[in-house]
Each structure stands twice: as C-alpha cells, then as structure tokens.
Short mmCIF file of all heavy atoms in Angstrom, two decimals:
data_model
loop_
_atom_site.label_atom_id
_atom_site.label_comp_id
_atom_site.label_asym_id
_atom_site.label_seq_id
_atom_site.Cartn_x
_atom_site.Cartn_y
_atom_site.Cartn_z
N LYS L 26 -4.22 -0.78 9.74
CA LYS L 26 -4.64 0.22 8.77
C LYS L 26 -3.61 1.34 8.65
O LYS L 26 -3.84 2.34 7.98
CB LYS L 26 -6.00 0.80 9.16
CG LYS L 26 -7.13 -0.24 9.05
CD LYS L 26 -8.46 0.31 9.49
CE LYS L 26 -9.55 -0.77 9.35
NZ LYS L 26 -10.86 -0.31 9.88
N ASN L 27 -2.46 1.13 9.32
CA ASN L 27 -1.39 2.10 9.29
C ASN L 27 -0.63 1.96 7.97
O ASN L 27 -0.01 0.93 7.69
CB ASN L 27 -0.44 1.87 10.48
CG ASN L 27 0.66 2.92 10.53
OD1 ASN L 27 1.50 2.97 9.64
ND2 ASN L 27 0.65 3.74 11.58
N VAL L 28 -0.68 3.01 7.16
CA VAL L 28 -0.13 2.96 5.81
C VAL L 28 1.38 2.70 5.82
O VAL L 28 1.90 1.87 5.06
CB VAL L 28 -0.44 4.26 5.05
CG1 VAL L 28 0.32 4.32 3.74
CG2 VAL L 28 -1.94 4.35 4.79
N ASP L 29 2.10 3.40 6.69
CA ASP L 29 3.57 3.23 6.75
C ASP L 29 3.94 1.80 7.12
O ASP L 29 4.90 1.24 6.57
CB ASP L 29 4.17 4.21 7.76
CG ASP L 29 4.08 5.66 7.27
OD1 ASP L 29 4.14 5.87 6.04
OD2 ASP L 29 3.93 6.56 8.11
N ARG L 30 3.18 1.24 8.04
CA ARG L 30 3.47 -0.14 8.46
C ARG L 30 3.18 -1.12 7.33
O ARG L 30 3.94 -2.07 7.10
CB ARG L 30 2.63 -0.48 9.70
CG ARG L 30 3.13 -1.72 10.43
CD ARG L 30 2.46 -1.81 11.77
NE ARG L 30 2.25 -3.21 12.13
CZ ARG L 30 1.34 -3.62 12.97
NH1 ARG L 30 0.52 -2.76 13.55
NH2 ARG L 30 1.21 -4.91 13.27
N ILE L 31 2.06 -0.90 6.61
CA ILE L 31 1.71 -1.77 5.47
C ILE L 31 2.83 -1.74 4.44
O ILE L 31 3.30 -2.79 3.97
CB ILE L 31 0.37 -1.33 4.83
CG1 ILE L 31 -0.81 -1.66 5.76
CG2 ILE L 31 0.16 -2.03 3.48
CD1 ILE L 31 -2.13 -1.08 5.31
N LEU L 32 3.29 -0.54 4.07
CA LEU L 32 4.33 -0.41 3.05
C LEU L 32 5.65 -1.01 3.52
O LEU L 32 6.37 -1.65 2.75
CB LEU L 32 4.51 1.05 2.67
CG LEU L 32 3.37 1.71 1.89
CD1 LEU L 32 3.65 3.18 1.64
CD2 LEU L 32 3.13 0.99 0.57
N GLN L 33 5.96 -0.81 4.81
CA GLN L 33 7.20 -1.38 5.35
C GLN L 33 7.17 -2.91 5.26
O GLN L 33 8.15 -3.55 4.85
CB GLN L 33 7.38 -0.93 6.80
CG GLN L 33 8.72 -1.33 7.40
CD GLN L 33 8.88 -0.79 8.82
OE1 GLN L 33 7.89 -0.50 9.51
NE2 GLN L 33 10.11 -0.66 9.27
N ASN L 34 6.04 -3.50 5.63
CA ASN L 34 5.90 -4.96 5.56
C ASN L 34 6.02 -5.45 4.11
O ASN L 34 6.67 -6.47 3.85
CB ASN L 34 4.56 -5.40 6.14
CG ASN L 34 4.51 -5.27 7.65
OD1 ASN L 34 5.55 -5.28 8.30
ND2 ASN L 34 3.31 -5.15 8.21
N LEU L 35 5.38 -4.73 3.18
CA LEU L 35 5.45 -5.13 1.77
C LEU L 35 6.88 -5.05 1.23
O LEU L 35 7.33 -5.93 0.50
CB LEU L 35 4.52 -4.24 0.93
CG LEU L 35 3.01 -4.50 1.06
CD1 LEU L 35 2.22 -3.39 0.37
CD2 LEU L 35 2.63 -5.86 0.47
N MET L 36 7.59 -3.98 1.60
CA MET L 36 8.98 -3.83 1.14
C MET L 36 9.87 -4.94 1.69
O MET L 36 10.68 -5.52 0.97
CB MET L 36 9.53 -2.45 1.54
CG MET L 36 9.03 -1.31 0.66
SD MET L 36 9.90 0.26 0.96
CE MET L 36 9.15 0.79 2.49
N LEU L 37 9.69 -5.26 2.98
CA LEU L 37 10.52 -6.30 3.60
C LEU L 37 10.22 -7.67 2.99
O LEU L 37 11.13 -8.46 2.75
CB LEU L 37 10.26 -6.33 5.12
CG LEU L 37 10.87 -5.16 5.92
CD1 LEU L 37 10.35 -5.16 7.35
CD2 LEU L 37 12.39 -5.26 5.91
N ALA L 38 8.93 -7.96 2.76
CA ALA L 38 8.54 -9.28 2.25
C ALA L 38 8.94 -9.48 0.80
O ALA L 38 9.27 -10.59 0.39
CB ALA L 38 7.03 -9.46 2.40
N SER L 39 8.93 -8.39 0.01
CA SER L 39 9.17 -8.53 -1.43
C SER L 39 10.56 -8.09 -1.88
O SER L 39 11.00 -8.41 -2.98
CB SER L 39 8.14 -7.70 -2.20
OG SER L 39 8.35 -6.32 -1.97
N GLY L 40 11.23 -7.34 -1.02
CA GLY L 40 12.55 -6.81 -1.41
C GLY L 40 12.46 -5.68 -2.40
O GLY L 40 13.46 -5.33 -3.03
N GLN L 41 11.28 -5.08 -2.56
CA GLN L 41 11.10 -3.99 -3.53
C GLN L 41 11.19 -2.64 -2.81
O GLN L 41 10.71 -2.49 -1.70
CB GLN L 41 9.75 -4.12 -4.23
CG GLN L 41 9.59 -5.42 -5.01
CD GLN L 41 8.28 -5.47 -5.78
OE1 GLN L 41 8.12 -4.80 -6.77
NE2 GLN L 41 7.36 -6.30 -5.32
N LYS L 42 11.80 -1.68 -3.48
CA LYS L 42 11.97 -0.34 -2.92
C LYS L 42 10.77 0.52 -3.27
O LYS L 42 10.29 0.49 -4.40
CB LYS L 42 13.26 0.27 -3.46
CG LYS L 42 13.62 1.62 -2.85
CD LYS L 42 15.00 2.09 -3.31
CE LYS L 42 14.95 2.54 -4.76
NZ LYS L 42 16.20 3.23 -5.19
N ILE L 43 10.29 1.30 -2.31
CA ILE L 43 9.16 2.22 -2.55
C ILE L 43 9.57 3.61 -2.09
O ILE L 43 9.86 3.82 -0.91
CB ILE L 43 7.89 1.76 -1.80
CG1 ILE L 43 7.42 0.40 -2.32
CG2 ILE L 43 6.78 2.81 -1.95
CD1 ILE L 43 6.22 -0.17 -1.56
N VAL L 44 9.62 4.55 -3.04
CA VAL L 44 10.00 5.92 -2.74
C VAL L 44 8.83 6.83 -3.13
O VAL L 44 8.33 6.75 -4.26
CB VAL L 44 11.26 6.34 -3.54
CG1 VAL L 44 11.66 7.77 -3.21
CG2 VAL L 44 12.40 5.37 -3.27
N PRO L 45 8.36 7.70 -2.21
CA PRO L 45 7.26 8.60 -2.54
C PRO L 45 7.55 9.40 -3.81
O PRO L 45 8.69 9.83 -4.04
CB PRO L 45 7.18 9.53 -1.32
CG PRO L 45 7.79 8.73 -0.21
CD PRO L 45 8.84 7.88 -0.83
N GLU L 46 6.54 9.57 -4.65
CA GLU L 46 6.59 10.33 -5.90
C GLU L 46 7.37 9.63 -7.02
O GLU L 46 7.11 9.86 -8.19
CB GLU L 46 7.20 11.74 -5.70
CG GLU L 46 6.59 12.54 -4.58
CD GLU L 46 5.22 13.11 -4.92
OE1 GLU L 46 4.87 13.11 -6.11
OE2 GLU L 46 4.50 13.53 -3.98
N LYS L 47 8.34 8.76 -6.68
CA LYS L 47 9.23 8.19 -7.68
C LYS L 47 8.92 6.72 -8.00
O LYS L 47 9.44 6.18 -8.97
CB LYS L 47 10.69 8.32 -7.23
CG LYS L 47 11.13 9.77 -7.10
CD LYS L 47 12.56 9.89 -6.63
CE LYS L 47 12.97 11.36 -6.53
NZ LYS L 47 14.38 11.50 -6.05
N THR L 48 8.11 6.07 -7.16
CA THR L 48 7.77 4.66 -7.36
C THR L 48 6.29 4.54 -7.71
O THR L 48 5.45 5.16 -7.03
CB THR L 48 8.05 3.84 -6.09
OG1 THR L 48 9.43 3.95 -5.76
CG2 THR L 48 7.70 2.37 -6.31
N LEU L 49 5.96 3.78 -8.73
CA LEU L 49 4.56 3.44 -8.99
C LEU L 49 4.26 2.13 -8.27
O LEU L 49 4.91 1.10 -8.52
CB LEU L 49 4.30 3.27 -10.49
CG LEU L 49 2.85 2.88 -10.83
CD1 LEU L 49 1.88 4.01 -10.48
CD2 LEU L 49 2.70 2.49 -12.30
N ILE L 50 3.31 2.17 -7.36
CA ILE L 50 2.89 0.98 -6.63
C ILE L 50 1.71 0.36 -7.36
O ILE L 50 0.71 1.03 -7.63
CB ILE L 50 2.49 1.32 -5.17
CG1 ILE L 50 3.66 2.00 -4.45
CG2 ILE L 50 2.06 0.06 -4.42
CD1 ILE L 50 3.28 2.59 -3.11
N ILE L 51 1.82 -0.93 -7.71
CA ILE L 51 0.74 -1.64 -8.38
C ILE L 51 0.24 -2.77 -7.48
O ILE L 51 1.00 -3.67 -7.13
CB ILE L 51 1.21 -2.25 -9.73
CG1 ILE L 51 1.77 -1.17 -10.65
CG2 ILE L 51 0.05 -2.97 -10.41
CD1 ILE L 51 2.40 -1.71 -11.93
N PHE L 52 -1.02 -2.70 -7.08
CA PHE L 52 -1.67 -3.79 -6.37
C PHE L 52 -2.55 -4.53 -7.39
O PHE L 52 -3.52 -3.96 -7.89
CB PHE L 52 -2.54 -3.27 -5.22
CG PHE L 52 -1.75 -2.64 -4.09
CD1 PHE L 52 -2.24 -1.53 -3.42
CD2 PHE L 52 -0.54 -3.18 -3.69
CE1 PHE L 52 -1.52 -0.96 -2.38
CE2 PHE L 52 0.19 -2.61 -2.65
CZ PHE L 52 -0.30 -1.49 -1.98
N ASP L 53 -2.19 -5.76 -7.71
CA ASP L 53 -2.89 -6.52 -8.75
C ASP L 53 -3.73 -7.63 -8.14
O ASP L 53 -3.42 -8.14 -7.07
CB ASP L 53 -1.89 -7.11 -9.74
CG ASP L 53 -2.52 -7.36 -11.12
OD1 ASP L 53 -3.73 -7.12 -11.28
OD2 ASP L 53 -1.78 -7.77 -12.04
N GLU L 54 -4.80 -8.01 -8.87
CA GLU L 54 -5.76 -9.03 -8.42
C GLU L 54 -6.33 -8.67 -7.04
O GLU L 54 -6.42 -9.49 -6.14
CB GLU L 54 -5.10 -10.42 -8.38
CG GLU L 54 -4.50 -10.88 -9.71
CD GLU L 54 -5.55 -11.07 -10.81
OE1 GLU L 54 -6.76 -11.02 -10.54
OE2 GLU L 54 -5.12 -11.29 -11.98
N VAL L 55 -6.72 -7.39 -6.90
CA VAL L 55 -7.19 -6.92 -5.59
C VAL L 55 -8.56 -7.48 -5.23
O VAL L 55 -8.98 -7.39 -4.07
CB VAL L 55 -7.23 -5.37 -5.53
CG1 VAL L 55 -5.83 -4.80 -5.61
CG2 VAL L 55 -8.11 -4.79 -6.62
N GLN L 56 -9.25 -8.07 -6.22
CA GLN L 56 -10.54 -8.69 -5.88
C GLN L 56 -10.35 -9.84 -4.89
O GLN L 56 -11.29 -10.24 -4.22
CB GLN L 56 -11.26 -9.17 -7.15
CG GLN L 56 -10.77 -10.47 -7.75
CD GLN L 56 -9.49 -10.32 -8.56
OE1 GLN L 56 -9.01 -9.22 -8.77
NE2 GLN L 56 -8.96 -11.43 -9.02
N GLU L 57 -9.12 -10.37 -4.80
CA GLU L 57 -8.82 -11.46 -3.87
C GLU L 57 -8.68 -10.97 -2.43
O GLU L 57 -8.65 -11.77 -1.51
CB GLU L 57 -7.53 -12.18 -4.30
CG GLU L 57 -7.56 -12.79 -5.69
CD GLU L 57 -8.55 -13.93 -5.80
OE1 GLU L 57 -8.82 -14.60 -4.78
OE2 GLU L 57 -9.08 -14.15 -6.92
N CYS L 58 -8.58 -9.65 -2.25
CA CYS L 58 -8.37 -9.09 -0.91
C CYS L 58 -9.10 -7.76 -0.78
O CYS L 58 -8.52 -6.70 -1.00
CB CYS L 58 -6.87 -8.92 -0.65
SG CYS L 58 -6.48 -8.35 1.02
N PRO L 59 -10.39 -7.80 -0.43
CA PRO L 59 -11.18 -6.57 -0.32
C PRO L 59 -10.57 -5.54 0.64
O PRO L 59 -10.79 -4.33 0.48
CB PRO L 59 -12.53 -7.06 0.20
CG PRO L 59 -12.60 -8.50 -0.23
CD PRO L 59 -11.20 -9.01 -0.17
N LYS L 60 -9.77 -5.99 1.62
CA LYS L 60 -9.16 -5.05 2.57
C LYS L 60 -8.18 -4.10 1.88
O LYS L 60 -7.93 -3.00 2.35
CB LYS L 60 -8.42 -5.83 3.67
CG LYS L 60 -9.35 -6.57 4.65
CD LYS L 60 -9.98 -5.61 5.64
CE LYS L 60 -10.95 -6.31 6.58
NZ LYS L 60 -10.32 -7.25 7.50
N VAL L 61 -7.62 -4.55 0.75
CA VAL L 61 -6.73 -3.67 -0.02
C VAL L 61 -7.52 -2.48 -0.55
O VAL L 61 -7.09 -1.33 -0.44
CB VAL L 61 -6.07 -4.44 -1.19
CG1 VAL L 61 -5.26 -3.48 -2.06
CG2 VAL L 61 -5.18 -5.55 -0.68
N ILE L 62 -8.69 -2.77 -1.12
CA ILE L 62 -9.54 -1.69 -1.65
C ILE L 62 -9.93 -0.75 -0.52
O ILE L 62 -9.87 0.48 -0.67
CB ILE L 62 -10.78 -2.28 -2.35
CG1 ILE L 62 -10.36 -3.16 -3.53
CG2 ILE L 62 -11.70 -1.16 -2.83
CD1 ILE L 62 -11.50 -3.90 -4.21
N ASN L 63 -10.31 -1.31 0.62
CA ASN L 63 -10.70 -0.48 1.77
C ASN L 63 -9.54 0.40 2.25
O ASN L 63 -9.75 1.54 2.67
CB ASN L 63 -11.18 -1.39 2.91
CG ASN L 63 -11.72 -0.59 4.09
OD1 ASN L 63 -12.42 0.40 3.89
ND2 ASN L 63 -11.37 -0.99 5.29
N SER L 64 -8.31 -0.12 2.16
CA SER L 64 -7.15 0.63 2.66
C SER L 64 -6.86 1.88 1.82
O SER L 64 -6.12 2.76 2.26
CB SER L 64 -5.91 -0.27 2.67
OG SER L 64 -5.43 -0.50 1.36
N MET L 65 -7.43 1.96 0.62
CA MET L 65 -7.18 3.13 -0.22
C MET L 65 -7.63 4.41 0.47
O MET L 65 -7.10 5.49 0.20
CB MET L 65 -7.87 2.97 -1.58
CG MET L 65 -7.30 1.87 -2.48
SD MET L 65 -5.53 2.01 -2.79
CE MET L 65 -4.90 0.64 -1.80
N LYS L 66 -8.60 4.31 1.35
CA LYS L 66 -9.07 5.47 2.12
C LYS L 66 -7.92 6.07 2.93
O LYS L 66 -7.73 7.28 2.97
CB LYS L 66 -10.21 5.03 3.05
CG LYS L 66 -10.73 6.09 4.00
CD LYS L 66 -11.86 5.52 4.84
CE LYS L 66 -12.57 6.59 5.65
NZ LYS L 66 -11.75 7.07 6.78
N TYR L 67 -7.13 5.18 3.54
CA TYR L 67 -6.06 5.64 4.41
C TYR L 67 -4.84 6.10 3.60
O TYR L 67 -4.14 7.02 4.02
CB TYR L 67 -5.70 4.52 5.41
CG TYR L 67 -6.92 4.05 6.15
CD1 TYR L 67 -7.54 2.84 5.82
CD2 TYR L 67 -7.51 4.85 7.13
CE1 TYR L 67 -8.69 2.43 6.47
CE2 TYR L 67 -8.66 4.45 7.79
CZ TYR L 67 -9.26 3.24 7.44
OH TYR L 67 -10.41 2.85 8.08
N PHE L 68 -4.61 5.46 2.46
CA PHE L 68 -3.55 5.95 1.58
C PHE L 68 -3.89 7.35 1.07
O PHE L 68 -3.03 8.21 0.99
CB PHE L 68 -3.36 4.99 0.39
CG PHE L 68 -2.51 3.79 0.70
CD1 PHE L 68 -3.07 2.55 0.96
CD2 PHE L 68 -1.12 3.91 0.76
CE1 PHE L 68 -2.28 1.45 1.25
CE2 PHE L 68 -0.33 2.81 1.05
CZ PHE L 68 -0.91 1.57 1.30
N CYS L 69 -5.14 7.55 0.73
CA CYS L 69 -5.58 8.86 0.22
C CYS L 69 -5.45 9.94 1.29
O CYS L 69 -4.93 11.03 1.02
CB CYS L 69 -7.02 8.76 -0.27
SG CYS L 69 -7.71 10.32 -0.88
N GLU L 70 -5.89 9.63 2.50
CA GLU L 70 -5.93 10.64 3.57
C GLU L 70 -4.56 10.87 4.22
O GLU L 70 -4.20 12.00 4.53
CB GLU L 70 -6.93 10.21 4.64
CG GLU L 70 -8.38 10.23 4.17
CD GLU L 70 -9.34 9.69 5.21
OE1 GLU L 70 -8.88 9.05 6.19
OE2 GLU L 70 -10.56 9.91 5.05
N ASN L 71 -3.80 9.78 4.43
CA ASN L 71 -2.58 9.86 5.25
C ASN L 71 -1.28 9.77 4.48
O ASN L 71 -0.22 10.08 5.03
CB ASN L 71 -2.60 8.75 6.32
CG ASN L 71 -3.87 8.78 7.16
OD1 ASN L 71 -4.41 9.85 7.42
ND2 ASN L 71 -4.35 7.62 7.58
N ALA L 72 -1.35 9.35 3.21
CA ALA L 72 -0.10 9.20 2.45
C ALA L 72 -0.30 9.54 0.98
O ALA L 72 -0.03 8.73 0.09
CB ALA L 72 0.42 7.76 2.60
N PRO L 73 -0.77 10.77 0.69
CA PRO L 73 -1.04 11.13 -0.72
C PRO L 73 0.22 11.21 -1.57
O PRO L 73 0.14 11.30 -2.80
CB PRO L 73 -1.72 12.50 -0.59
CG PRO L 73 -1.24 13.05 0.71
CD PRO L 73 -1.07 11.88 1.61
#
C-alpha cells in the first residue's frame, strides 16, 4: 500500500516517466482490480 513503491514498480514495468504535478496518471479499466480503487485512499493522504 506504499504509494512510492507502487509508482516505482509501474514506472519500471512500463518505462513511463511520472513527475509530481507535471504528469497525468491514468488508471484505466480499474473495475478489473478493486485494489486500485482502494489505493486511492493512500494516494490522497500520502501523495497529494
């Protein structure tokens, strides 16, 4: 549930760059992974 670790893994797996304030992150077809929706709590609290 560690936001930094999640983003680091996503960047490494996809080769996409994520910069705070300058990158729009799009999570699509999230109905396939309810844990993504649940993780929004931690993004909101720990990585606004």
Side-chain angles (χ1 to χ4, degrees):
K26 293 177 180 175
N27 183 295
V28 170
D29 291 328
R30 196 168 147 204
I31 289 171
L32 290 177
Q33 187 177 23
N34 288 337
L35 286 170
M36 283 190 283
L37 287 170
S39 67
Q41 300 184 73
K42 186 173 73 170
I43 297 176
V44 181
E46 309 285 345
K47 297 179 179 179
T48 301
L49 179 67
I50 302 170
I51 303 173
F52 293 143
D53 205 357
E54 303 296 351
V55 294
Q56 78 281 354
E57 300 294 332
C58 185
K60 289 284 177 67
V61 175
I62 298 174
N63 185 41
S64 73
M65 293 305 108
K66 175 179 189 288
Y67 306 103
F68 278 101
C69 178
E70 292 175 345
N71 305 327

